[in-house]
């Protein structure tokens, strides 16, 4: 791992080495983003896993909508290539390419947790014999709240029917064997398995196809929260075969705060008779405006839509998806592995006395994020976190004691990574 990113003769702590690494990987698209400044200098911004930076092209798409609204008002629904009636279709094909799905399997709608609830209406169908949902312990709180509330809504008890798998590895990560054991142990009672694509606190990535196979073998449905995986890892959702997946677009997809979320429904459910919460925008397009009393769902993921799309919320996503389409996830992944590998090298070679990486070391088991604990516990962790921010190096903090540093391959550089390491070194040496 680490010696991939440093030759025996090179000192990874030099500007020259960072520049060399930057030169031998696919180029950054940093110039296509607006980088925040601190004290007159661009930040080293490592928080794309929380809120991605603004693409320079986003404003033009928003202005286009505003101008159309000003000049055409309601007629903007029906005119031009970016007409509002079919606006959500502008992101369908690039979104499908990004997540490895067929266009009919994806839709941009709602918010992540709302989509998770709507998917559970269809795919969590508990019975007295099969009431249980299986998830990871330490999940993002919104997921746990949603799953627990669904169990209660159906009249079951989360104390027995919300099964939380505990991590079995040293730093709070999960082996595939532990996941397999839990699914096998509880299989006869499982109605649904919900798992992350990347665990938000540790940065661990998971085998979606493998978990799907295990769940389906036990007769359970399977869905994923891909908030930290979409735009971070190459995905092949159609081939992996989960029943559904949900994600947000404000992290690696750079679509802005509170951006419209995404949803995948596998094509085997395109014409499902499963129950769903219905709204008029999920009605088949051909007869939608006849305003009839009977709901006829559009085949595919579009059939889970409720209301007409929020046009201003979708507009920035077009700019980011265009960049992903231009670069491609395979190229971004190569760049990401270099950036995160370099970050790991710097920490292990010069900062291991103060920083402990809890993210798996194997590139196949992580995305771009490294989650770090600071020697001395939470007080020292907070002290370092605040020192970094005061010096224009921005990561984020997750309780109780984790700093997350996520070099986003679209706009972070090896120089950013070196700046992080040097700032940590300065903090350590000044103590």
């Amino acid at each position: 791992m680490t010696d991939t990113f440093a030759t025996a003769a090179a000192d990874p702590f030099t500007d020259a080495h960072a520049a060399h690494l930057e030169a031998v990987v696919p180029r950054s698209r940093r110039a296509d983003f607006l980088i925040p400044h601190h004290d007159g200098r661009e930040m080293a911004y490592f928080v794309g896993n929380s809120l991605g930076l603004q693409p320079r092209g986003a404003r033009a798409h928003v202005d286009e909508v505003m101008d159309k609204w000003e000049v055409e008002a309601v007629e903007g629904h029906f005119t031009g290539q970016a007409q509002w009636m079919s606006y959500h279709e502008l992101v369908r094909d690039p979104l499908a390419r990004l997540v490895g799905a067929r266009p009919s399997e994806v839709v941009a709608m709602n918010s992540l947790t709302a989509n998770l609830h709507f998917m559970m209406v269809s795919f969590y169908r508990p019975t007295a014999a099969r009431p249980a949902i299986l998830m990871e312990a330490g999940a993002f709180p919104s997921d746990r709240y949603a799953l627990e509330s669904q169990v209660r809504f159906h009249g079951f008890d989360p104390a027995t029917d919300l099964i939380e798998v505990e991590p079995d590895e040293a730093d709070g990560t999960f082996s595939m064997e532990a996941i397999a054991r839990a699914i096998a142990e509880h299989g006869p009672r499982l109605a649904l398995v919900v798992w992350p694509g990347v665990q938000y606190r540790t940065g661990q990535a998971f085998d979606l196809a493998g978990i799907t196979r295990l769940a389906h073998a036990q007769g359970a449905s399977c869905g994923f929260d891909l908030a930290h995986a979409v735009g971070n890892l190459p995905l092949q959702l159609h081939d992996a075969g989960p029943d559904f997946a949900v994600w947000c677009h404000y992290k690696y997809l750079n679509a802005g705060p509170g951006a419209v979320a995404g949803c995948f429904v596998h094509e085997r459910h395109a014409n499902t008779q499963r129950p769903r919460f219905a709204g008029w925008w999920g009605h088949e397009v051909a007869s939608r405006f006849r305003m009839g009393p009977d709901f006829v769902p559009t085949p595919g993921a579009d059939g889970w839509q409720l209301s007409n799309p929020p046009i201003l919320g979708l507009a920035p996503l077009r700019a980011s998806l265009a960049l992903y389409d231009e670069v491609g996830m395979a190229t971004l992944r190569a760049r990401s592995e270099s950036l995160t590998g370099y970050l790991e090298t710097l920490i292990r070679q010069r900062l291991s006395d103060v920083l402990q990486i809890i993210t798996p070391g194997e590139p196949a088991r992580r995305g771009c994020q490294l989650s770090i604990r600071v020697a001395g516990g939470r007080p020292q962790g907070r002290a370092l976190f605040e020192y970094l921010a005061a010096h224009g190096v921005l990561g984020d903090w997750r309780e109780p004691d984790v700093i997350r540093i996520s070099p986003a391959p679209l706009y972070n550089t090896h120089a950013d990574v070196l700046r992080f390491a040097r700032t940590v070194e300065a903090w350590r040496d000044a103590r």
Side-chain angles (χ1 to χ4, degrees):
M1 296 178 299
T2 56
D3 52 0
T4 301
F5 303 95
T7 67
D11 178 0
F13 258 72
T14 64
D15 293 334
H17 190 73
H20 168 72
L21 292 179
E22 189 67 29
V24 298
V25 296
R27 72 181 182 89
S28 164
R29 296 302 294 262
R30 188 180 183 90
D32 292 304
F33 288 86
L34 295 165
I35 312 297
H37 283 65
H38 177 86
D39 286 345
R41 179 187 180 189
E42 286 186 347
M43 279 186 174
Y45 186 87
F46 296 107
V47 205
N49 61 339
S50 187
L51 179 66
L53 294 181
Q54 183 183 143
R56 289 185 181 273
R59 187 178 298 273
H61 288 296
V62 174
D63 286 346
E64 177 187 49
V65 176
M66 297 298 286
D67 292 344
K68 197 176 186 69
W69 183 16
E70 175 186 355
V71 174
E72 300 181 32
V74 72
E75 293 301 311
H77 285 88
F78 314 109
T79 61
Q81 178 266 342
Q83 60 182 268
W84 302 332
M85 277 290 295
S86 54
Y87 199 87
H88 70 286
E89 296 176 8
L90 296 174
V91 302
R92 177 188 292 156
D93 285 359
L95 198 53
R97 287 189 288 270
L98 182 69
V99 300
R102 297 181 178 175
S104 63
E105 294 176 316
V106 298
V107 62
M109 65 180 190
N110 306 322
S111 61
L112 188 157
T113 305
N115 286 341
L116 180 57
H117 274 296
F118 290 131
M119 289 298 100
M120 285 193 285
V121 169
S122 297
F123 296 103
Y124 175 50
R125 307 303 305 160
T127 65
R130 280 188 179 271
I133 302 177
L134 184 140
M135 65 182 296
E136 96 270 22
F140 190 77
S142 194
D143 283 3
R144 194 190 187 286
Y145 303 156
L147 271 59
E148 179 178 352
S149 69
Q150 286 278 340
V151 171
R152 292 189 187 280
F153 177 79
H154 285 280
F156 296 100
D157 184 358
T160 56
D161 301 325
L162 184 60
I163 299 163
E164 297 179 86
V165 182
E166 294 291 338
D168 64 320
E169 296 179 336
D171 294 316
T173 55
F174 299 82
S175 70
M176 191 64 176
E177 291 74 19
I179 299 169
R181 282 195 303 271
I183 293 175
E185 177 187 350
H186 300 285
R189 299 186 64 247
L190 289 182
L192 175 65
V193 173
V194 176
W195 206 263
V198 173
Q199 214 283 336
Y200 86 100
R201 182 182 285 113
T202 67
Q204 181 184 4
F206 295 97
D207 177 359
L208 306 190
I211 293 170
T212 299
R213 284 193 298 270
L214 291 168
H216 286 173
Q218 295 294 334
S221 296
C222 185
F224 291 98
D225 176 349
L226 302 180
H228 288 268
V230 169
N232 179 11
L233 291 171
L235 299 171
Q236 296 296 329
L237 290 184
H238 176 81
D239 292 343
D243 298 287
F244 69 87
V246 294
W247 60 87
C248 53
H249 288 132
Y250 51 78
K251 300 182 188 296
Y252 297 107
L253 265 291
N254 312 298
V260 180
C263 188
F264 164 89
V265 181
H266 198 277
E267 71 171 0
R268 65 178 170 273
H269 302 299
N271 294 294
T272 185
Q273 298 302 307
R274 288 173 176 266
R276 73 180 90 196
F277 286 165
W280 81 306
W281 217 255
H283 192 283
E284 67 173 5
V285 176
S287 60
R288 181 181 296 156
F289 282 88
R290 293 176 190 168
M291 306 300 188
D294 297 321
F295 177 70
V296 181
T298 298
D302 275 5
W304 273 265
Q305 294 179 103
L306 300 181
S307 302
N308 47 314
I311 307 304
L312 284 167
L314 282 169
L317 179 59
R318 294 176 61 194
S320 184
L321 285 173
L323 291 172
Y324 275 94
D325 251 2
E326 288 176 28
V327 180
M329 274 307 303
T331 297
L332 283 172
R333 178 60 173 163
R335 181 174 172 81
S336 179
E337 288 186 6
S338 179
L339 286 165
T340 305
Y342 183 43
L343 176 60
E344 180 186 15
T345 293
L346 295 177
I347 292 172
R348 295 200 188 283
Q349 288 197 10
R350 293 272 283 271
L351 303 170
S352 60
D353 58 330
V354 289
L355 300 184
Q356 174 202 359
I357 300 170
I358 65 172
T359 305
E362 308 92 325
R365 298 184 69 206
R366 69 186 185 199
C368 69
Q369 171 184 317
L370 289 188
S371 296
I372 297 163
R373 287 196 175 104
V374 180
R378 189 181 188 281
Q380 291 301 310
R382 285 299 305 180
L384 173 58
F385 177 74
E386 291 164 9
Y387 183 90
L388 289 166
H391 290 79
V393 178
L394 202 61
D396 74 351
W397 176 267
R398 285 295 175 263
E399 294 291 352
D401 60 353
V402 171
I403 297 174
R404 304 187 306 177
I405 301 297
S406 300
L410 272 175
Y411 50 75
N412 281 123
T413 66
H414 294 82
D416 288 336
V417 172
L418 179 57
R419 182 176 168 189
F420 163 80
R422 285 175 169 170
T423 307
V424 174
E425 190 174 46
W427 172 80
R428 178 196 64 191
D429 294 346
R431 286 191 301 165

